């Protein structure tokens, strides 16, 4: 069995792994400091592991350049994260390790991981959304991550916002009351004065949160019609949100879009099954797929 | 050069064509009456044309079944159109003509036509939206029409609706104020008491219409990030809408999504170049692609 390397390159840590699947993956975590130091430690982990790698997959924070024909393919591009702008992450690993390197957004990698070994196993079309300090999304269409002209920014979907019910104006610095501005962790904190994990399950925050997330999921159904929608990230640790989101989604779709999967929303809007390992396992799947 | 057949199967007429491209396509129009009569006349057109067809492509009104593995692939399924429910359109043509038949939604076919010979020529990723008595959309990702679990229903996207500015509640029988309920031809008629083509270019209808369409285009950018967006259909004959939509889109995106194509919105949000022939030429492209 071939062995691959995987890197979930995040803004606070790089999770690096070696293996051939969920059962044998061993990982380490490297804090994200400067590109020079972090990438050197990542390379060092793979070089000193004592195994021959058949390839490495990277799921990276962004924005990133995914265009294979672009001179800056594999770079982290215009990130506000200090020091990381225009960093050739994929190139650095490819040169040092002399193996094929595959490169994706972190959320596309997570979608891929869940479709290989997790909550969307065997399904060609799924969406993975993370609701955390921001909101991001990755999507597979017929097993392939969607890139488009630039990678998708599903967190910034525009959705209905009833100012009478929710006077909070939204806090996205670009769009005000886009999805992220209304429903990411910082919006919950700003609106209610406490972070999501401190709000009781019967708090009025939750019906509103469920509504916004259901509107976003509905829009994804209308555009991509995925076979499953996986909602992950810190805010989604509040498991009581899931039945509320499903009920709202049922109301919003109003039986217009009919498909067997939509008649059982319990199986349609789900938690990630790989938990915190979705990203690094997705990077592994990416390396294996290449 | 091979010759192909093309069918744009619409709710009011079937446009049938024979040829190998835009320059030699000859078409006829058959009124959509009963399935039996309409399909028989369609088959008759191809059988009596005196040319050997290498295949036929169909872009059909819906809902349709696009799943190749489904026993009802190629059927028009749960349409409210009298008599047409559960009609095996692709199968009827394949059996009568004994040629390979390719089958798509009308809007996916139009997107394909525009990407082959029209406004999105050479681009792998584009969206075609028609704004008419309803709103529908088709999308290509890396040259392939998106199917998903069911075909997309972009017309029913949920977008912000400021009831203070626009008290019209929307007239989609399923969703009220979804995109179609706010911005299709019947919504314009119901809100202003006159059809789109009778409203002067400086009517207050247009800034609102432009805003709703720009919100929908923004959501498509956030999810699919297409390389071009083509807006067709009767309402879009109002050419003055285009600069207004582009200006609204620029405001909504707020420079968050950056790509060369988005710095020139004149070339990004465009009219169909194939005009009324997008559908039938798309069906032809579909047959040739197969």
């Amino acid at each position: 069995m071939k062995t691959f390397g995987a890197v979930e390159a995040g803004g606070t840590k790089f999770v690096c792994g070696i293996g051939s699947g969920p059962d044998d993956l061993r990982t380490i975590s490297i804090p994200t400091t400067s590109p020079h130091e972090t990438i050197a430690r990542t390379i060092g982990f793979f070089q000193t592991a004592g195994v021959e790698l058949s390839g490495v997959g990277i799921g990276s924070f962004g924005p990133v350049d995914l265009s294979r024909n672009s001179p800056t393919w594999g770079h982290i591009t215009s990130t506000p994260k200090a020091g990381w702008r225009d960093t050739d992450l994929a190139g650095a690993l490819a040169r040092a390790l002399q193996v094929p390197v595959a490169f994706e957004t972190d959320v596309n990698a997570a979608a891929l991981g869940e479709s290989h070994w997790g909550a969307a196993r065997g399904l060609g079309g799924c969406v993975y959304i993370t609701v955390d300090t921001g909101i991001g999304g990755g999507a597979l269409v017929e097993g392939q991550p969607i890139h488009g002209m630039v990678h998708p920014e599903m967190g910034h979907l525009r959705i209905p916002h009833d100012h009478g019910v929710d006077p909070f104006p939204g806090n996205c610095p670009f769009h005000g009351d886009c999805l992220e501005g209304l429903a990411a962790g910082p919006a919950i904190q700003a609106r209610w004065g406490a972070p999501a994990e401190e709000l009781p399950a019967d708090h009025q925050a939750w019906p509103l949160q469920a509504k916004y997330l259901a509107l976003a999921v509905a829009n994804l159904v209308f555009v991509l019609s995925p076979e499953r929608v996986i909602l992950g990230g810190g805010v989604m640790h509040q498991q009581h949100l899931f039945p509320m989101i499903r009920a709202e989604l049922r109301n919003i779709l109003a039986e217009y879009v009919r498909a067997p999967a939509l008649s059982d929303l319990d199986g349609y809007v789900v938690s990630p099954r790989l938990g915190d390992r979705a990203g690094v396992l997705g990077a592994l799947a990416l390396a294996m797929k290449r």
Side-chain angles (χ1 to χ4, degrees), chain A:
Chain A
M1 188 174 282
K2 288 183 174 179
T3 302
F4 294 87
V7 180
E8 180 188 6
T12 56
K13 61 177 191 283
F14 275 37
V15 179
C16 304
I18 293 176
S20 62
D23 297 337
D24 69 358
L25 189 78
R26 55 198 174 89
T27 62
I28 63 153
S29 180
I30 296 169
T32 308
T33 56
S34 71
H36 179 79
E37 183 184 15
T38 311
I39 294 172
R41 289 187 62 185
T42 299
I43 290 168
F45 166 69
F46 291 119
Q47 283 177 332
T48 58
V51 289
E52 191 180 340
L53 301 177
S54 298
V56 171
I58 305 171
S60 179
F61 74 100
V64 291
D65 186 344
L66 301 177
S67 306
R68 268 278 173 196
N69 301 329
S70 161
T72 55
W73 171 83
H75 285 53
I76 295 170
T77 58
S78 58
T79 179
K81 189 170 171 64
W84 283 84
R85 196 179 175 97
D86 301 323
T87 296
D88 182 11
L89 180 55
L93 267 68
R95 283 188 296 275
L97 302 173
Q98 294 289 312
V99 294
V101 170
F103 189 72
E104 264 301 340
T105 65
D106 43 10
V107 279
N108 270 345
L112 203 58
E114 290 289 340
S115 87
H116 264 64
W117 293 301
R121 195 165 173 169
L123 301 180
C126 72
V127 170
Y128 177 96
I129 297 174
T130 173
V131 187
D132 212 293
T133 53
I135 297 182
L140 306 186
V141 169
E142 299 187 12
Q144 301 296 328
I146 292 188
H147 291 169
M149 185 174 59
V150 293
H151 54 80
E153 289 287 354
M154 299 179 194
H156 297 276
L157 275 167
R158 298 300 308 261
I159 54 171
H161 171 203
D162 184 337
H163 293 262
V165 172
D166 174 24
F168 178 66
N171 62 359
C172 170
F174 290 92
H175 312 114
D177 62 352
C178 67
L179 176 63
E180 181 169 300
L182 290 172
I188 297 173
Q189 164 89 49
R191 186 188 288 109
W192 306 110
E197 63 271 23
E198 288 179 15
L199 299 171
D202 60 356
H203 194 279
Q204 57 180 315
W206 301 119
L208 193 67
Q209 181 73 10
K211 173 108 187 209
Y212 289 144
L213 293 175
L215 284 163
V217 172
N219 278 352
L220 293 167
V221 169
F222 291 138
V223 178
L224 289 173
S225 187
E227 293 168 77
R228 194 158 292 160
V229 176
I230 302 160
L231 301 179
V235 171
M236 298 310 302
H237 289 169
Q238 312 300 316
Q239 287 290 322
H240 61 273
L241 261 175
F242 281 90
M244 299 169 80
I245 293 168
R246 293 178 192 126
E248 286 284 355
L249 179 61
R250 190 171 292 112
N251 283 339
I252 295 165
L253 294 179
E255 301 198 345
Y256 183 77
V257 180
R258 292 183 197 203
L262 293 176
S263 64
D264 169 27
L265 292 183
D266 289 0
Y268 188 71
V269 177
V270 301
S271 288
R273 201 170 296 163
L274 303 178
D276 293 341
R277 299 206 305 166
V280 66
L281 281 169
L284 188 73
L286 192 67
M288 295 170 69
K289 223 169 118 73
R290 197 187 168 279

